[in-house]
Amino acid sequence: MRDGSEERRRAGEMRAVLLSAFGGLGKLRVSRSATPEPPRRGELRIRVKACGLNFLDLMVRQGIIDNPPKTPLIPGFECSGIVEAVGPDTAGFEIGERVMAFVNYGAWAEVVCAPLDFVYKVPDAMTFPEAAGFLVSFVAAYVMLFEVASLREGMSVLVHSAGGGVGQAVAQLCSCIPRVAVFGTASLSKHDAIKDSVTYLFDRTVDYVQEVKKISPEGVDVVLDCLSGEDTGKGLALLKPLGTYILYGSSNMVTGERKSFFSLAKSWWQVEKVNPIKLYEENKVVAGFSLLNLLFRQGRGGLVGAVVQKLLSLYNEKKIRPVVDSLWALEEVTEAMQRIHDRGNVGKLILDVEKFPTPLMASDSTESSEAGEDEEDQEGDDDDKERVPFIQ
Ligand SMILES: NC(=O)c1ccc[n+]([C@@H]2O[C@H](COP(=O)([O-])OP(=O)(O)OC[C@H]3O[C@@H](n4cnc5c(N)ncnc54)[C@H](OP(=O)(O)O)[C@@H]3O)[C@@H](O)[C@H]2O)c1
């Protein structure tokens, strides 16, 4: 256990990543705050071991999400750890059990309280970092492929950012079904690492519509689009009759460390207007998917719970396994986020609550990193030295 954690525990305090205001990387820092109250009815309190860092967390940091919550806040939507206390009506869970959970903000802390409906037991073979990176990517990939697009033998799927958390989950789930062809786009730097996980891989900068059509003139059965609708026209053009296009992300709205009103406006302007009559004529399906809304606004915890159990069966049969890109201390959260901004990750970035920050090397710059240069980000930004990350 990390030094000082016993002392913090006795004082009723915890370390947590705090987002002081929406903006650049400098708005994040690790703080000491009071641990959550004892768990309420139907809640478990979890001593967190690891937390998943998703693309969505970059968007939260910049404040480019629907209904942004008020700052300061503790970010994070998923974690794994050990049940530390149980509230009333929590039959089925015991203190000391290894669990993973969806959290509606607040996951990046040493202690988290979560309702029973969003907590799942972790198989013995699964590590805490794997468990922390399992839920968001795999549940999103599963629901889109099987609940929305009814993926079956012999179908074909196009996925962008194929090397990322969701992209790798999509690739693994597709490999569970016979003869499913996966067409993926990704930055060239990742191609060596991921080429075996997809059937056809394209550089993200090429005209993928032409490339897919060279291989499959009829197109594909499923298009998974996390580019905010900018590519809806291309995705629809690539669909075979009865094919399904699913919009599930807005990665292209993030054009740098800070929110750019210009790129937001450009993205919004470029979103294709879909004509239902054309869909009818061409036999095509257009869908949207948001896991967090499904869980936290639309009350579909039961559906998601059933999906998690199917995914855990696939994990136990060794058919799927979360790909962990790298582990970072809470204090390294800005470097971890920078790695996503730089499009460097293959699989999931994980915040390891018990990890110590990698020591600064003598040769490291003592100047502020880029993250701290902006005037807007000076406040509370006292830890900007570059670190050599520990990469698994
Ligand atoms: N709707 C849902 O329920 C749901 C759930 C989970 C995730 N998502 C969405 O799915 C997408 C992938 O999420 P993830 O968490 O798995 O992330 P991820 O794919 O691991 O994200 C990092 C990768 O995204 C790509 N990318 C695309 N545009 C980028 C940009 N503007 N800046 C930096 N990287 C960019 C880069 O890969 P390449 O350079 O190789 O393309 C980068 O390595 C995101 O849009 C996310 O919001 C949606």
Side-chain angles (χ1 to χ4, degrees), residues 146 150-156 174 176-181 221:
F146 299 109
S150 304
L151 185 72
R152 293 184 302 281
E153 180 167 356
M155 283 186 161
S156 49
C174 287
C176 298
I177 309 295
R179 297 190 307 106
V180 169
D221 295 292

Side-chain angles (χ1 to χ4, degrees), residues 140-151 157 170 173-174 222 224:
Y142 189 100
V143 175
M144 289 192 288
L145 291 174
F146 299 109
E147 304 283 335
V148 182
S150 304
L151 185 72
V157 177
V170 164
L173 288 171
C174 287
V222 183
L224 301 178

Side-chain angles (χ1 to χ4, degrees), residues 63-315:
I64 49 174
I65 46 166
D66 279 345
N67 299 313
K70 286 202 165 52
T71 54
L73 61 88
I74 300 173
F77 296 105
E78 60 183 341
C79 65
S80 63
I82 292 173
V83 177
E84 187 176 69
V86 296
D89 290 340
T90 51
F93 282 91
E94 286 174 15
I95 291 172
E97 274 187 307
R98 300 168 79 240
V99 292
M100 54 191 164
F102 287 112
V103 188
N104 193 9
Y105 294 99
W108 295 353
E110 283 180 317
V111 184
V112 151
C113 275
L116 205 62
D117 278 357
F118 303 146
V119 185
Y120 317 92
K121 296 183 187 191
V122 172
D124 290 345
M126 194 184 270
T127 64
F128 282 120
E130 284 176 344
F134 187 68
L135 290 176
V136 169
S137 300
F138 273 97
V139 171
Y142 189 100
V143 175
M144 289 192 288
L145 291 174
F146 299 109
E147 304 283 335
V148 182
S150 304
L151 185 72
R152 293 184 302 281
E153 180 167 356
M155 283 186 161
S156 49
V157 177
L158 170 73
V159 61
H160 297 293
S161 302
V166 173
Q168 285 292 285
V170 164
Q172 290 189 19
L173 288 171
C174 287
S175 74
C176 298
I177 309 295
R179 297 190 307 106
V180 169
V182 180
F183 295 76
T185 72
S187 288
L188 262 184
S189 57
K190 302 175 192 170
H191 282 209
D192 264 356
I194 65 169
K195 62 180 184 309
D196 295 337
S197 63
V198 295
T199 325
Y200 306 103
L201 186 56
F202 311 115
D203 177 9
R204 70 175 179 85
T205 59
V206 303
D207 181 348
Y208 62 85
V209 175
Q210 290 310 315
E211 296 302 316
V212 172
K213 286 204 160 159
K214 277 185 211 160
I215 298 162
S216 174
E218 253 212 296
V220 296
D221 295 292
V222 183
V223 171
L224 301 178
D225 185 3
C226 58
L227 300 175
S228 192
E230 269 187 35
D231 278 12
T232 304
K234 291 184 189 173
L236 283 174
L238 268 180
L239 278 187
K240 290 180 184 175
L242 300 182
T244 306
Y245 164 95
I246 307 175
L247 178 66
Y248 71 103
S250 328
S251 301
N252 53 319
M253 284 202 181
V254 176
T255 49
E257 189 204 323
R258 272 167 289 276
K259 173 165 77 177
S260 151
F261 286 103
F262 175 73
S263 69
L264 290 181
K266 185 168 155 261
S267 294
W268 184 84
W269 183 248
Q270 287 178 346
V271 171
E272 293 281 336
K273 308 293 176 279
V274 177
N275 179 348
I277 294 176
K278 214 159 172 259
L279 297 178
Y280 150 78
E281 286 168 354
E282 295 179 357
N283 276 310
K284 290 180 178 175
V285 180
V286 173
F289 177 70
S290 161
L291 175 59
L292 298 180
N293 284 352
L294 197 69
L295 274 172
F296 301 126
R297 288 204 208 151
Q298 297 170 325
R300 293 300 189 271
L303 183 151
V304 170
V307 166
V308 172
Q309 295 317 317
K310 288 178 196 161
L311 287 166
L312 287 176
S313 299
L314 291 172
Y315 177 85

